[in-house]
Protein backbone atom coordinates (compact mmCIF):
# COMPACT_ATOMS: atom_id res chain seq x y z
CA UNK A 1 0.00 0.00 0.00
CA UNK A 2 2.82 2.37 -0.76
CA UNK A 3 0.69 4.36 -3.22
CA UNK A 4 -1.94 5.36 -0.61
CA UNK A 5 -1.20 8.57 1.37
CA UNK A 6 -0.77 8.26 5.14
CA UNK A 7 -3.47 10.86 5.77
CA UNK A 8 -6.04 8.70 3.99
CA UNK A 9 -5.00 5.65 6.00
CA UNK A 10 -5.34 7.61 9.25
CA UNK A 11 -8.82 8.81 8.24
CA UNK A 12 -9.78 5.25 7.27
CA UNK A 13 -8.52 3.95 10.62
CA UNK A 14 -10.52 6.61 12.51
CA UNK A 15 -13.66 5.73 10.55
CA UNK A 16 -13.11 2.02 11.16
CA UNK A 17 -12.88 2.67 14.91
CA UNK A 18 -16.17 4.58 14.83
CA UNK A 19 -17.93 1.82 12.88
CA UNK A 20 -16.71 -1.12 14.97
CA UNK A 21 -16.84 0.69 18.32
CA UNK A 22 -13.16 0.43 19.20
CA UNK A 23 -11.02 3.20 20.64
CA UNK A 24 -9.07 5.35 18.20
CA UNK A 25 -5.43 5.58 19.24
CA UNK A 26 -3.23 6.86 16.40
CA UNK A 27 -0.11 7.28 18.57
CA UNK A 28 -0.32 3.77 20.09
CA UNK A 29 -0.35 5.15 23.62
CA UNK A 30 -1.30 2.94 26.57
CA UNK A 31 -4.85 3.89 27.43
CA UNK A 32 -6.12 0.89 29.40
CA UNK A 33 -9.12 0.59 27.07
CA UNK A 34 -8.88 -3.20 27.19
CA UNK A 35 -9.39 -3.23 30.95
CA UNK A 36 -12.07 -0.55 30.91
CA UNK A 37 -14.11 -2.55 28.39
CA UNK A 38 -13.92 -5.68 30.51
CA UNK A 39 -16.98 -6.44 32.63
CA UNK A 40 -16.60 -6.18 36.40
CA UNK A 41 -16.21 -9.47 38.29
CA UNK A 42 -16.80 -8.36 41.89
CA UNK A 43 -20.45 -9.38 42.12
CA UNK A 44 -19.89 -12.82 40.61
CA UNK A 45 -16.95 -13.36 42.96
CA UNK A 46 -19.12 -12.56 45.97
CA UNK A 47 -21.74 -15.04 44.76
CA UNK A 48 -19.09 -17.76 44.35
CA UNK A 49 -17.97 -17.86 47.98
CA UNK A 50 -20.42 -18.99 50.69
CA UNK A 51 -21.32 -16.55 53.47
CA UNK A 52 -18.80 -16.47 56.31
CA UNK A 53 -19.62 -17.98 59.68
CA UNK A 54 -18.84 -15.58 62.54
CA UNK A 55 -18.14 -17.62 65.66
CA UNK A 56 -18.56 -14.57 67.89
CA UNK A 57 -22.26 -14.52 67.06
CA UNK A 58 -22.68 -18.16 68.19
CA UNK A 59 -22.75 -19.13 71.83
CA UNK A 60 -20.51 -22.20 71.92
CA UNK A 61 -21.83 -24.97 74.13
CA UNK A 62 -24.99 -26.95 74.51
CA UNK A 63 -27.05 -27.52 71.39
CA UNK A 64 -25.14 -25.01 69.22
CA UNK A 65 -21.91 -26.96 69.54
CA UNK A 66 -23.34 -29.92 67.60
CA UNK A 67 -23.92 -27.63 64.62
CA UNK A 68 -20.19 -26.94 64.32
CA UNK A 69 -19.18 -30.61 63.93
CA UNK A 70 -18.70 -31.67 60.34
CA UNK A 71 -20.74 -34.76 59.37
CA UNK A 72 -17.69 -36.52 57.89
CA UNK A 73 -15.77 -35.97 61.12
CA UNK A 74 -18.57 -37.44 63.23
CA UNK A 75 -18.68 -40.47 60.89
CA UNK A 76 -14.91 -40.86 61.32
CA UNK A 77 -15.33 -40.87 65.11
CA UNK A 78 -17.95 -43.61 64.82
CA UNK A 79 -15.64 -45.68 62.60
CA UNK A 80 -12.72 -45.31 65.03
CA UNK A 81 -14.93 -46.33 67.96
CA UNK A 82 -16.13 -49.41 66.05
CA UNK A 83 -12.54 -50.40 65.18
CA UNK A 84 -11.44 -49.96 68.79
CA UNK A 85 -14.11 -52.46 69.87
CA UNK A 86 -12.51 -55.14 67.70
CA UNK A 87 -8.96 -54.10 68.63
CA UNK A 88 -7.94 -52.45 65.36
CA UNK A 89 -8.07 -48.78 66.37
CA UNK A 90 -5.13 -46.37 66.44
CA UNK A 91 -2.59 -46.99 69.24
CA UNK A 92 -2.42 -44.77 72.31
CA UNK A 93 0.14 -42.00 72.33
CA UNK A 94 3.59 -43.48 72.97
CA UNK A 95 2.56 -47.05 72.13
CA UNK A 96 3.04 -46.83 68.37
CA UNK A 97 5.44 -48.65 66.07
CA UNK A 98 8.37 -46.29 66.63
CA UNK A 99 8.17 -46.70 70.40
CA UNK A 100 8.19 -50.49 70.16
CA UNK A 101 11.12 -50.43 67.71
CA UNK A 102 13.07 -48.19 70.05
CA UNK A 103 12.57 -50.65 72.91
CA UNK A 104 13.88 -53.58 70.82
CA UNK A 105 17.23 -51.90 70.05
CA UNK A 106 18.34 -51.84 73.69
Amino acid sequence: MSGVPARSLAALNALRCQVFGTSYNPNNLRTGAKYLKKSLVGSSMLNYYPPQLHLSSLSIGGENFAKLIHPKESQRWKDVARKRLIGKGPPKKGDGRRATMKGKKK
Side-chain angles (χ1 to χ4, degrees), residues 12-63:
L12 179 66
N13 194 11
L15 185 63
R16 182 178 7 158
C17 289
Q18 283 180 352
V19 169
F20 293 114
T22 59
S23 59
Y24 179 62
N25 188 7
N27 299 330
N28 291 329
L29 298 174
R30 300 178 97 173
T31 61
K34 176 171 114 177
Y35 301 103
L36 292 173
K37 269 196 287 184
K38 217 179 202 185
S39 63
L40 298 175
V41 296
S43 60
S44 61
M45 234 201 253
L46 288 175
N47 293 336
Y48 178 79
Y49 293 105
Q52 290 184 350
L53 175 69
H54 297 287
L55 294 177
S56 60
S57 65
L58 295 174
S59 60
I60 305 283
E63 61 199 37

Side-chain angles (χ1 to χ4, degrees), residues 9 61 69 82 87:
L9 286 177
I69 298 173
R82 191 183 73 240

